[in-house]
Amino acid sequence: MTLPQTAVDQFEALLGERFTTSRGICAEHGADISHFDPMPPDAVLFPRTAEEVQAIMKICTAWHLPVIPYGAGTSVEGHIHAMHGGVCLDMSQMNRIVRVNAEDMDVVVEPGVTRNQLNSHLRDTGLFFPIDPGADASIGGMASTRASGTNAVRYGTMRENILSLEVVTASGEIIRTARRARKSAAGYDLTRLFIGAEGTLGVITQVGLKVHGIPEAILSGVCTFNDLEGAIRSVMEAIQMGVPLARVEFLDEATIAAVNHISKLDLPEHPTLFFEFHGTDRAVEEQVARVRDSAETHGGWGFEWARKPEERNRLWAARHEAALSIAAYATGTRQWWTDVCVPISRLAECILQTRTDIDQSDLFAPILGHVGDGNFHVGICAKEGDEDAFGKAEALHDRLVGRALSMEGTCTGEHGIGRGKISYLEDELDGAVELMRRIKSALDPLNLMNPGKIFANA
Amino acid sequence: MTLPQTAVDQFEALLGERFTTSRGICAEHGADISHFDPMPPDAVLFPRTAEEVQAIMKICTAWHLPVIPYGAGTSVEGHIHAMHGGVCLDMSQMNRIVRVNAEDMDVVVEPGVTRNQLNSHLRDTGLFFPIDPGADASIGGMASTRASGTNAVRYGTMRENILSLEVVTASGEIIRTARRARKSAAGYDLTRLFIGAEGTLGVITQVGLKVHGIPEAILSGVCTFNDLEGAIRSVMEAIQMGVPLARVEFLDEATIAAVNHISKLDLPEHPTLFFEFHGTDRAVEEQVARVRDSAETHGGWGFEWARKPEERNRLWAARHEAALSIAAYATGTRQWWTDVCVPISRLAECILQTRTDIDQSDLFAPILGHVGDGNFHVGICAKEGDEDAFGKAEALHDRLVGRALSMEGTCTGEHGIGRGKISYLEDELDGAVELMRRIKSALDPLNLMNPGKIFANA
């Protein structure tokens, strides 16, 4: 679409040089690491205040322009694609850390603050923000996709760590969803409604977050297993015993092979678990002892653990470098990163069936995941431009999601629906999606907020 | 209102003797322990399946009859009052424990299951359901009020412990809000929308819950403080150090006095903290040592702790008997139980100002609370039939909520809005309430679901 000249004039009057229709900048804001072709917006706007966002919403409402909120652009389901044109709201200039309430262990930040920026800022307070989806994502984007990542098993996801949101609604009001108390039974949980709404209900302009005390002691561990069932069973046992695992990550043989090749490591090419333990000195040692016992009972071997930061980094190198190693290893391919999440009792079965399916498909597709939550990723690699390979990737993906759903799982544990999983959401929740649509219509009757995401034809 | 005869015939055809207009039964279902006068429904229905609830919803829609879901009737803000007549859905006959998935540490229950029933059922599995609001509330009611209680500081509230809900919507569909995976990024968080909706959006007919491993060791502790600030500061310090307190309860001097008098105890009449620690043997001993150090630093004395169940019960007797002791001590009064929740850094100030205000009001009003969350209760006692005392109680309550709001707190940490806090919800969240209303209208356009709760004129 072309923006009406009057709208352009209004945006320019409001934002000056912070409004642009530059083709380069629009192209950047319509491209991500998803497997979809990019879809650039017609303009990119860089608001600095909630009031500017409000004024933008009013202009967009007047001209019926779609609005796509944009954080760091690190999501993987095409969330930032301008399916129906319109304007991209790049929130990166709203990146102030508004308040740190150290005594209450909470902070208030603008949505463009990234998680690394926040943790750098917090360093001297003894506090940290735990959610780690891998990329240096923005807090607003992480809220919008209900992000989680490696230490959700201990600290929860964005859902559990957001105390309140300030939101500019589709109808242009600035609202606050909650006060700063740790818990509340006051009315509908609007905070949780906007978390994971993928920008389809409003624009997040401020986020109140819980933060946590940096643990006295951090220990890392690695353990190799002869088979996947043993690895999963040892994690289940540790969780049932109440061991408060801070992270527990799984890499499959294919991932280890990629990392060995690219990063010149020589890890045994077997299912491998990477652990992290947080607590007091005594508590983490006790945790390590229990996990080692449980791992050994289930066929784990070569258990190593480390306390010093440099040794911890060395132990975890394979996990930290997994995504980049896979990209480098599978050069010339387009990667289709997806995730599902199943009850942990079904996880081994789900991963094994997926591995067999991949092996029969002739594609390279490593598996890694956050096993404490039952959540795993598959990076399906298909040769760029090879339509046949893409067809196979699509079919593999379809079977993967179907398998997770058949095991009472979800079509996405942490990536979100975006463009890519709209039909699976219907498969997963059926009639409940109609309720979501009614909420969407009630709060965004013109369907201007990130249209084409979560719902078909929306 | 009088029910139309055709509706009566339809209910009788559907439910037989599980439909009643008995005045006694209706009166029971319209009375609770709130300070409001009872408001009985016109009929009480006892459904046994989601399909029956669905059929009831269709009849109620046809005749525009209000529907009030009823669990164990233990809520305290008049949630179960039939403000506009209509039918009460007593869910107590939907009390099956549908599934226990021990490996996944989750269960599926019908809404009429009570928390004690669930814990009795789980005893042999090594698992337990931690949320403890005091009363033996039903799981459906606890979901609807977003209940929490004494060990939310460690295990979270109903919000964090519900995995999925089955709901009969106002329009009569049976929907499921989520699958059984531990986390999901699939669409809007309908689970959280129905949690705390107080029956205003639909009828909960099944609840999927997280359960937890029964800890190896449980230790209880009690500590007396010369002043409230010291008590609160020692809790804040313990939390900041990462001590995973399982419970930390505060009783003020007035509560201790009531308990001493009624239960023949001889506790020092000072601010007192009651602790519970969960973990391995070593871990709980370490926790106790840290908490004792921190308490002593902040003027705590007489720290006692116990491990055996009978000793733990003895130590915690004052806390367990607090509510009944207050009722017995303040015989001849009507009690107005309310709660607020503030950031913990403001908690001492908020409680102290409230204590001063109570002392000036000439009313008996003990204070007790879940200090780890910043949440406290006041039991305002006013002589039955004494209008002047009731006016004072109302003014005291109004100032209490205003004080909590002025400290960035919420008008209710765990009781809910019900009839009693409708105007305070507006004070607290202002424009956000309009969004809640739009959601209510979208999902319940005829305003049949528990009308008169959460919103004025609804």
Side-chain angles (χ1 to χ4, degrees):
Chain A
M1 74 196 291
T2 313
L3 299 183
Q5 187 56 44
T6 318
V8 169
D9 295 342
Q10 288 172 327
F11 287 135
E12 280 181 339
L14 182 68
L15 299 170
E17 291 187 350
R18 292 183 286 114
F19 164 83
T20 178
T21 53
S22 141
R23 284 179 69 163
I25 294 174
C26 288
E28 272 171 27
H29 285 78
D32 58 18
I33 64 153
S34 74
H35 63 286
F36 297 108
D37 290 326
M39 298 200 76
D42 299 302
V44 182
L45 289 68
F46 297 86
R48 287 190 181 150
T49 64
E51 289 70 23
E52 283 185 354
V53 174
Q54 186 176 39
I56 292 165
M57 281 309 306
K58 288 186 176 165
I59 298 169
C60 291
T61 300
W63 298 99
H64 288 209
L65 300 177
V67 178
I68 300 115
Y70 184 102
T74 55
S75 70
V76 293
E77 283 293 353
H79 290 106
I80 52 96
H81 290 178
M83 311 290 290
H84 304 277
V87 304
C88 169
L89 260 59
D90 182 318
M91 306 303 282
S92 61
Q93 295 190 20
M94 287 183 71
N95 67 343
R96 280 161 293 204
I97 292 166
V98 180
R99 277 173 74 178
V100 175
N101 304 299
E103 290 198 315
D104 294 311
M105 299 171 75
D106 72 60
V107 300
V108 179
V109 303
E110 290 186 335
V113 168
T114 70
R115 63 181 189 87
N116 287 341
Q117 178 194 348
L118 176 57
N119 277 324
S120 299
H121 186 91
L122 289 176
R123 199 149 291 158
D124 297 334
T125 62
L127 299 168
F128 80 117
F129 174 66
I131 317 289
D132 174 5
D136 188 19
S138 71
I139 300 296
M142 290 171 66
S144 291
T145 53
R146 206 181 291 134
S148 45
T150 50
N151 47 29
V153 63
R154 167 74 171 262
Y155 296 97
T157 71
M158 288 304 275
R159 181 162 75 198
E160 286 79 29
N161 282 281
I162 291 180
L163 284 171
S164 67
L165 294 171
E166 182 189 82
V167 176
V168 176
T169 65
S171 37
E173 303 102 352
I174 301 176
I175 62 150
R176 186 164 279 284
T177 60
R179 296 293 190 99
R180 204 160 64 77
R182 282 263 142 175
K183 66 182 193 187
S184 173
Y188 300 162
D189 193 344
L190 296 180
T191 310
R192 255 44 61 178
L193 183 63
F194 284 100
I195 296 170
E198 305 185 5
T200 63
L201 296 177
V203 183
I204 294 172
T205 50
Q206 216 172 72
V207 187
L209 290 170
K210 294 184 195 174
V211 289
H212 300 260
I214 295 174
E216 266 175 48
I218 301 177
L219 260 66
S220 298
V222 174
C223 186
T224 304
F225 288 81
N226 289 330
D227 56 45
L228 178 75
E229 288 95 335
I232 307 289
R233 203 142 282 283
S234 77
V235 172
M236 285 168 70
E237 201 172 284
I239 291 173
Q240 280 163 13
M241 284 192 297
V243 178
L245 297 167
R247 307 186 202 239
V248 53
E249 296 286 299
F250 163 76
L251 301 194
D252 81 340
E253 303 88 320
T255 309
I256 301 277
V259 176
N260 276 346
H261 188 82
I262 298 296
S263 301
K264 314 288 174 215
L265 299 176
D266 58 353
L267 294 166
E269 292 182 10
H270 285 286
T272 307
L273 291 181
F274 295 76
F275 296 97
E276 195 169 281
F277 306 92
H278 291 180
T280 62
D281 285 328
R282 280 177 60 176
V284 292
E285 282 186 18
E286 191 178 37
Q287 291 171 35
V288 166
R290 292 192 167 216
V291 166
R292 184 175 43 205
D293 283 354
S294 157
E296 284 169 359
T297 308
H298 296 289
W301 49 277
F303 190 92
E304 278 192 83
W305 56 285
R307 174 184 296 254
K308 290 188 187 154
E310 61 277 18
E311 289 171 15
R312 289 197 278 113
N313 285 336
R314 185 188 54 78
L315 264 190
W316 267 65
R319 176 63 188 91
H320 290 314
E321 290 161 22
L324 288 176
S325 295
I326 289 163
Y329 189 76
T331 177
T333 67
R334 190 184 286 203
Q335 287 145 48
W336 183 332
W337 277 105
T338 191
D339 87 314
V340 295
C341 186
V342 296
I344 193 167
S345 64
R346 310 300 297 274
L347 183 60
E349 188 186 358
C350 193
I351 293 178
L352 285 172
Q353 289 183 15
T354 303
R355 182 78 265 158
T356 304
D357 197 11
I358 294 167
D359 292 345
Q360 288 168 356
S361 77
D362 216 22
L363 295 170
F364 178 66
I367 300 176
L368 62 165
H370 317 309
V371 287
D373 303 315
N375 182 206
F376 69 93
H377 301 272
V378 184
I380 308 172
C381 302
K383 201 175 152 196
E384 192 68 69
D386 179 342
E387 275 190 32
D388 181 50
F390 260 82
K392 282 184 186 170
E394 194 169 3
L396 189 67
H397 179 255
D398 190 61
R399 289 191 300 273
L400 167 63
V401 175
R403 187 176 303 123
L405 293 180
S406 76
M407 294 180 182
E408 302 183 81
T410 176
C411 66
T412 173
E414 55 184 24
H415 288 180
I417 299 297
R419 295 172 64 174
K421 287 187 166 166
I422 291 173
S423 68
Y424 300 126
L425 178 64
E426 299 269 356
D427 295 343
E428 179 171 334
L429 294 179
D430 197 23
V433 180
E434 173 55 27
L435 246 71
M436 296 181 198
R437 281 180 190 277
R438 280 186 224 158
I439 293 167
K440 167 76 172 168
S441 297
L443 302 192
D444 180 23
L446 297 176
N447 189 26
L448 298 181
M449 292 306 312
N450 209 3
K453 314 300 158 56
I454 299 185
F455 309 106
N457 308 318
Chain B
M1 74 195 294
T2 313
L3 298 183
Q5 187 57 43
T6 319
V8 169
D9 295 343
Q10 289 172 326
F11 287 136
E12 280 180 340
L14 182 69
L15 299 170
E17 292 188 348
R18 292 184 284 115
F19 164 83
T20 180
T21 54
S22 142
R23 284 180 67 165
I25 294 175
C26 287
E28 273 172 25
H29 284 78
D32 58 17
I33 65 154
S34 74
H35 64 286
F36 297 108
D37 290 327
M39 297 200 78
D42 299 302
V44 182
L45 288 67
F46 297 85
R48 285 190 184 150
T49 64
E51 289 70 24
E52 284 185 353
V53 173
Q54 186 176 39
I56 293 166
M57 281 309 305
K58 288 185 176 165
I59 299 169
C60 291
T61 300
W63 297 101
H64 288 208
L65 300 177
V67 178
I68 300 114
Y70 183 102
T74 55
S75 70
V76 294
E77 283 293 352
H79 290 105
I80 51 95
H81 290 178
M83 311 291 290
H84 304 276
V87 305
C88 170
L89 260 60
D90 182 318
M91 307 301 283
S92 61
Q93 296 190 21
M94 287 184 71
N95 66 343
R96 280 160 294 202
I97 292 165
V98 180
R99 278 174 74 178
V100 174
N101 303 299
E103 290 198 314
D104 294 311
M105 300 172 75
D106 73 60
V107 300
V108 179
V109 303
E110 290 185 335
V113 168
T114 71
R115 64 181 188 86
N116 287 340
Q117 179 193 348
L118 176 57
N119 278 324
S120 298
H121 186 92
L122 289 175
R123 199 150 292 159
D124 297 334
T125 62
L127 298 168
F128 80 116
F129 173 67
I131 316 288
D132 174 5
D136 188 19
S138 72
I139 301 296
M142 288 171 67
S144 291
T145 53
R146 205 180 292 133
S148 46
T150 51
N151 47 28
V153 63
R154 166 73 171 265
Y155 296 96
T157 72
M158 288 303 275
R159 181 162 74 197
E160 286 79 29
N161 282 280
I162 292 180
L163 284 171
S164 66
L165 295 169
E166 182 189 82
V167 175
V168 176
T169 65
S171 37
E173 304 102 351
I174 301 176
I175 62 151
R176 188 166 278 285
T177 60
R179 295 294 191 98
R180 205 160 64 76
R182 282 262 141 175
K183 66 182 194 186
S184 173
Y188 300 162
D189 192 344
L190 296 180
T191 310
R192 254 44 61 177
L193 182 63
F194 284 101
I195 297 170
E198 305 185 5
T200 63
L201 296 177
V203 183
I204 294 172
T205 50
Q206 215 172 73
V207 187
L209 290 170
K210 294 184 194 174
V211 289
H212 300 260
I214 295 174
E216 268 175 45
I218 301 178
L219 262 66
S220 299
V222 174
C223 185
T224 305
F225 287 81
N226 288 330
D227 57 47
L228 178 75
E229 287 96 335
I232 307 290
R233 202 144 281 284
S234 77
V235 172
M236 285 169 68
E237 200 172 284
I239 291 173
Q240 280 163 12
M241 283 191 298
V243 178
L245 297 166
R247 306 187 202 240
V248 52
E249 296 287 299
F250 163 76
L251 301 193
D252 80 340
E253 301 90 319
T255 309
I256 300 277
V259 177
N260 276 346
H261 188 81
I262 299 296
S263 301
K264 312 290 174 214
L265 299 176
D266 56 353
L267 293 166
E269 293 182 9
H270 284 286
T272 307
L273 291 182
F274 295 75
F275 295 97
E276 196 169 280
F277 306 92
H278 291 179
T280 62
D281 285 330
R282 278 177 60 177
V284 292
E285 282 185 18
E286 191 178 39
Q287 291 171 35
V288 166
R290 292 195 167 213
V291 166
R292 185 176 42 206
D293 283 353
S294 158
E296 284 169 358
T297 308
H298 295 289
W301 50 276
F303 190 91
E304 277 192 85
W305 56 286
R307 174 185 297 253
K308 290 188 188 154
E310 60 276 17
E311 289 171 15
R312 288 197 278 113
N313 285 337
R314 184 187 57 75
L315 264 191
W316 267 65
R319 175 63 187 91
H320 290 314
E321 292 162 23
L324 288 177
S325 295
I326 290 163
Y329 189 77
T331 179
T333 67
R334 190 184 287 204
Q335 287 145 47
W336 183 332
W337 277 105
T338 191
D339 87 313
V340 295
C341 188
V342 296
I344 194 168
S345 64
R346 309 300 298 274
L347 182 60
E349 188 186 357
C350 193
I351 293 179
L352 285 173
Q353 289 183 12
T354 303
R355 184 76 265 160
T356 304
D357 196 12
I358 293 167
D359 292 344
Q360 287 167 356
S361 77
D362 215 22
L363 296 170
F364 177 66
I367 300 176
L368 61 166
H370 316 308
V371 287
D373 303 314
N375 183 205
F376 68 95
H377 301 273
V378 184
I380 308 173
C381 302
K383 201 174 155 198
E384 192 68 69
D386 179 343
E387 276 190 32
D388 180 50
F390 260 81
K392 281 183 186 169
E394 195 169 1
L396 189 66
H397 179 255
D398 189 62
R399 289 191 300 273
L400 167 63
V401 175
R403 186 176 303 122
L405 293 180
S406 76
M407 294 179 181
E408 301 184 83
T410 175
C411 66
T412 174
E414 56 183 23
H415 288 180
I417 299 297
R419 295 172 64 174
K421 287 186 167 166
I422 292 173
S423 68
Y424 300 125
L425 177 64
E426 299 268 356
D427 295 343
E428 180 171 334
L429 294 179
D430 196 24
V433 180
E434 174 54 27
L435 245 71
M436 296 183 198
R437 281 179 190 277
R438 279 185 226 158
I439 293 166
K440 167 76 171 168
S441 297
L443 301 192
D444 178 24
L446 297 175
N447 189 26
L448 298 181
M449 292 307 312
N450 208 4
K453 313 299 158 56
I454 300 186
F455 309 106
N457 309 318

